[in-house]
Amino acid sequence: MKDLHVQNRRTALKKMSLGLASIPLLSISKISLAAPSPLRAALGYQEKPKDGHKCSGCMHFVAGKTAKENGGCKLMAGDAGISPEGWCTAWVELKKA
Ligand code: SF4
């Protein structure tokens, strides 16, 4: 009975340590997901529209929680800071069904 109790405690401590060890990894992955994509510069991304074209009207745009919040871009994986008012040279008109 005592052995079982000790074994259960050891198992619980192992699980807790694994859980605590994963916290920094989760934090790092969130940071890297939020980091601006290096493609921004290559594609000439800017925070304002160009010639009436903007990210919210681009087929690559992934909308944020609301229409005005930043979202993502299918071409810039992990970059969650794409403005719906932004634009880049890869802009392609979103066709509405
Ligand atoms: S491809 Fe360019 S214009 Fe289109 S959503 Fe991405 S950043 Fe915006």
Side-chain angles (χ1 to χ4, degrees):
M1 181 75 174
K2 189 176 178 185
D3 285 344
L4 183 62
H5 184 70
V6 170
Q7 195 171 9
N8 284 342
R9 192 181 331 163
R10 281 188 188 149
T11 303
L13 286 171
K14 277 184 189 174
K15 287 180 180 175
M16 283 174 40
S17 63
L18 285 174
L20 289 173
S22 66
I23 289 174
L25 293 176
L26 289 173
S27 299
I28 290 169
S29 64
K30 280 184 181 176
I31 289 168
S32 63
L33 286 176
S37 169
L39 281 177
R40 280 188 182 204
L43 296 176
Y45 175 78
Q46 60 187 41
E47 295 280 331
K48 59 184 181 183
K50 182 170 183 182
D51 300 330
H53 298 156
K54 54 187 177 181
C55 292
S56 61
C58 174
M59 68 177 290
H60 301 301
F61 187 62
V62 180
K65 289 179 184 169
T66 66
K68 291 187 176 185
E69 282 187 67
N70 287 350
C73 172
K74 294 172 189 167
L75 302 182
M76 302 189 202
D79 190 333
I82 303 298
S83 170
E85 296 296 315
W87 174 89
C88 85
T89 57
W91 185 90
V92 177
E93 184 175 9
L94 174 65
K95 301 285 185 199
K96 295 182 180 164

